[in-house]
Amino acid sequence: MINILFLEDNLELLRDAKDMLEEIQAKHNIELNTIACSNIYIANEALKRLPKIDLIVTDLSMVTNGLDPKLIKETSKGFLTGWVWLQHQVLNKTKFDKTNIIIWSGYSCFFSDEICSEDDINNKYGKSGRVIKLLSKTSYNSLEETIVELIK
């Protein structure tokens, strides 16, 4: 069983992502447990509840509900909420050292150019074979391909 946590505050995109993951499961004969989270509060509860998470897919820009109030100022008015959440709830926890991550955002190019490149992220946080990918929301095909690549 492969546990995938998908954090996306746009409910339509979250539904589409769940459908895509069901198709991946059927097409590749892989047993997936998808945890669809529409906010950080739900994602944090899943992090506590599950013994392991194999893949996290998260947006960058989202509401800050569920984020530690001390961290909200780091989000640049919500633009970097997903990144701040990853840094403080996932990337610094030994429990998730082997969890692969996809940052899936319409702002991934800006993030890569202005904040942190995919190479920089992997050099700093790529522990124990963990892979972190930055993908644009413009293509579901590249998201699907990357998910399959990271879970096989």
Side-chain angles (χ1 to χ4, degrees), residues 6-17 37-39 59 61-62 104 137 140:
F6 207 109
L7 176 55
E8 170 59 64
D9 64 342
N10 179 316
L11 296 180
E12 185 176 331
L13 289 176
L14 191 58
R15 276 191 299 275
D16 291 347
C37 305
S38 59
N39 63 53
D59 189 9
S61 179
M62 65 184 89
W104 184 57
K137 281 189 175 175
Y140 276 106

Side-chain angles (χ1 to χ4, degrees), residues 113-131:
D113 292 343
E114 301 294 328
I115 310 294
C116 200
S117 73
E118 188 174 287
D119 286 342
D120 293 339
I121 293 170
N122 279 291
N123 288 335
K124 185 170 183 177
Y125 297 108
K127 303 175 182 179
S128 308
R130 172 197 288 150
V131 176

Side-chain angles (χ1 to χ4, degrees), residues 17-150:
K18 286 171 58 178
D19 292 344
M20 179 192 59
L21 289 166
E22 288 174 10
E23 289 174 19
I24 288 173
Q25 182 170 290
K27 188 189 306 184
H28 296 278
N29 198 26
I30 301 169
E31 192 174 352
L32 300 178
N33 176 32
T34 302
I35 304 94
C37 305
S38 59
N39 63 53
I40 289 174
Y41 177 79
I42 296 168
N44 285 342
E45 291 302 308
L47 293 179
K48 290 179 205 169
R49 185 174 36 89
L50 292 167
K52 77 174 178 97
I53 296 176
D54 301 289
L55 176 65
I56 293 174
V57 181
T58 185
D59 189 9
L60 283 175
S61 179
M62 65 184 89
V63 296
T64 58
N65 296 357
L67 193 64
D68 183 327
K70 296 176 211 155
L71 301 175
I72 291 174
K73 65 181 178 287
E74 294 179 33
T75 69
S76 297
K77 298 181 180 178
F79 174 69
L80 296 174
T81 302
W83 175 242
V84 171
W85 173 76
L86 279 173
Q87 287 181 299
H88 293 278
Q89 294 295 340
V90 177
L91 296 173
N92 66 347
K93 308 275 196 248
T94 307
K95 175 181 177 180
F96 304 114
D97 277 355
K98 295 182 189 270
T99 301
N100 290 321
I101 297 166
I102 299 172
I103 299 171
W104 184 57
S105 175
Y107 302 104
S108 60
C109 291
F110 172 81
F111 181 83
S112 181
D113 292 343
E114 301 294 328
I115 310 294
C116 200
S117 73
E118 188 174 287
D119 286 342
D120 293 339
I121 293 170
N122 279 291
N123 288 335
K124 185 170 183 177
Y125 297 108
K127 303 175 182 179
S128 308
R130 172 197 288 150
V131 176
I132 303 170
K133 298 278 192 179
L134 286 172
L135 293 179
S136 173
K137 281 189 175 175
T138 57
S139 171
Y140 276 106
N141 289 339
S142 60
L143 177 61
E144 181 177 348
E145 291 167 7
T146 304
I147 288 171
V148 170
E149 169 193 330
L150 293 178

